[in-house]
Amino acid sequence: MLKTLKDLCSLYGPSGNENAVREYIIGEIKDFCTYRVDNLGNLIAEKKGKKTPNKKIMVDAHMDEVGFIITSVDGDGFLRFDTIGGIEEAVMVARRVTLLNGVHGVVGAKPVHLTDKSAAKKFPKTDDLYIDIGAKTKEDALKMVSLGEVGVFDADFVKTGDNLLARAIDDRAGCAVLIDLIKSEAEYDFTAVFSVQEEVGLRGARVATYSVDPNFAIVLEATTAADIPSAAEGKKVCFVGKGPAVSFMDRSTVYDRRLYDFALNKSGVRCQPKTLVAGGNNSGAVHLSKEGVRTIAVSVPCRYLHTPSCVSSFEDIKGARALAEALICEMGANSDL
């Protein structure tokens, strides 16, 4: 899975522009399943197992990542932008970005020595930032980019100690796990969904789940790990290196208790609870589809989420794969679950 994850993290796929990620995934899974692409761009694959479960199982991972969209160009050729998904201003300043058309730039802000003392103590707002692509005039800039062009952070994939450092681990880690499940022998049939537009409102998962109409769903994700020196003990959420995190509740979902208990206490896979009721993921759309879907989220703990330098443990990613497989077997074997 490590090479797959590295390949996935090297691809550019902000919300609404997941084409390159989807084409890579198709190339990896096409000999191991049947698949289709829906009108929104979700990749939906049917994996045959040794047995057919009584109730339909879906496993989801989203392909998109956070990014930037160009909204205007000023007279000096600097690009104004908005964010695609949630990116904090603190992680944007002086970061290199790559637009999907191949143009490179850097996020700039007013220098500290030109800022009054009270403002200098605060991070600038997104409206005060710009992308410098080396253009001298608005006309020059518009020869290089068009309004509506999108981009992402420019960052390498690095292994550092036992951890991985890269952009877009959210949720290319989930995609890598799901690819590996499809390419491996499966005990039970399941439907794999590589969904679009999670970062801008769970849109792809909402559409795909309605189409698939599952009874059970596993949402593979990356989630914030705040196991850092400045975090209070009760706010650390989960820990890198202690296994995948399993949610009991977040701001969009109260998770299925029997699936949660199985994961933590009966699966045989080392995992941990996500201990803060915050945020959300595709589960928020999945579990409300049609008559309801019994849903569990399995997340890879990740420090510095939505930055160019996400940090996660490859052992946790392997643990997420093992837990997803155990859950598929439990859902398939126990029709009275």
Side-chain angles (χ1 to χ4, degrees), residues 16-283:
N17 294 267
E18 299 91 350
N19 306 48
V21 181
R22 183 173 56 246
E23 290 306 310
Y24 174 87
I25 294 171
I26 289 173
E28 290 293 303
I29 68 172
K30 63 183 180 181
D31 296 330
F32 302 91
C33 62
T34 59
Y35 68 89
R36 61 187 173 90
V37 178
D38 69 15
N39 291 334
L40 206 60
N42 296 302
L43 172 58
I44 301 172
E46 300 294 342
K47 172 65 178 178
K48 291 297 293 181
K50 298 176 186 177
K51 307 169 191 173
T52 298
N54 292 327
K55 296 183 179 180
K56 195 165 189 178
I57 301 166
M58 186 182 93
V59 188
D60 166 83
H62 70 87
M63 296 184 287
D64 60 314
E65 63 185 291
V66 296
F68 308 90
I69 186 165
I70 307 307
T71 56
S72 65
V73 182
D74 70 18
D76 293 320
F78 296 110
L79 312 184
R80 300 294 177 170
F81 65 90
D82 206 340
T83 58
I84 301 171
I87 309 177
E88 295 292 331
E89 288 87 351
V91 305
M92 288 193 277
V93 178
R95 298 293 186 177
R96 289 168 53 188
V97 299
T98 298
L99 304 182
L100 267 61
N101 67 358
V103 172
H104 297 277
V106 62
V107 178
K110 183 185 289 187
V112 173
H113 68 277
L114 297 180
T115 307
D116 65 64
K117 291 184 179 180
S118 61
K121 295 178 181 179
K122 302 175 183 177
F123 287 113
K125 300 296 184 184
T126 300
D127 288 347
D128 299 322
L129 301 176
Y130 54 85
I131 297 175
D132 182 350
I133 58 171
K136 293 181 172 60
T137 65
K138 181 175 183 177
E139 290 71 24
D140 285 343
L142 289 173
K143 292 175 184 177
M144 301 169 69
V145 300
S146 301
L147 300 187
E149 182 63 68
V150 299
V152 296
F153 286 120
D154 188 351
D156 294 327
F157 185 99
V158 177
K159 191 172 187 300
T160 173
D162 295 328
N163 292 338
L164 306 175
L165 187 157
R167 47 160 270 280
I169 288 177
D170 175 19
D171 185 31
R172 306 292 161 73
C175 291
V177 167
L178 192 46
I179 289 169
D180 198 64
L181 287 169
I182 293 171
K183 294 171 74 171
S184 303
E185 187 174 67
E187 193 68 24
Y188 288 93
D189 302 347
F190 66 90
T191 302
V193 173
F194 298 91
S195 53
V196 299
Q197 298 188 40
E198 189 269 354
E199 299 292 359
V200 291
L202 323 182
R203 296 168 186 172
R206 190 181 311 278
V207 172
T209 309
Y210 188 91
S211 172
V212 173
D213 194 17
N215 302 100
F216 292 106
I218 303 165
V219 173
L220 300 171
E221 254 291 7
T223 195
T224 299
D227 55 337
I228 55 176
S230 59
E233 197 61 34
K235 300 291 187 180
K236 293 191 175 182
V237 189
C238 57
F239 297 79
V240 171
K242 292 190 177 182
V246 185
S247 300
F248 45 75
M249 180 179 172
D250 57 36
R251 292 302 180 196
S252 62
T253 311
V254 177
Y255 290 90
D256 187 277
R257 192 70 193 191
R258 289 179 67 182
L259 295 177
Y260 172 80
D261 287 341
F262 170 81
L264 279 180
N265 303 315
K266 302 174 185 176
S267 67
V269 178
R270 181 177 184 243
C271 56
Q272 58 183 310
K274 179 181 174 181
T275 59
L276 191 67
V277 178
N281 54 56
N282 271 343
S283 301

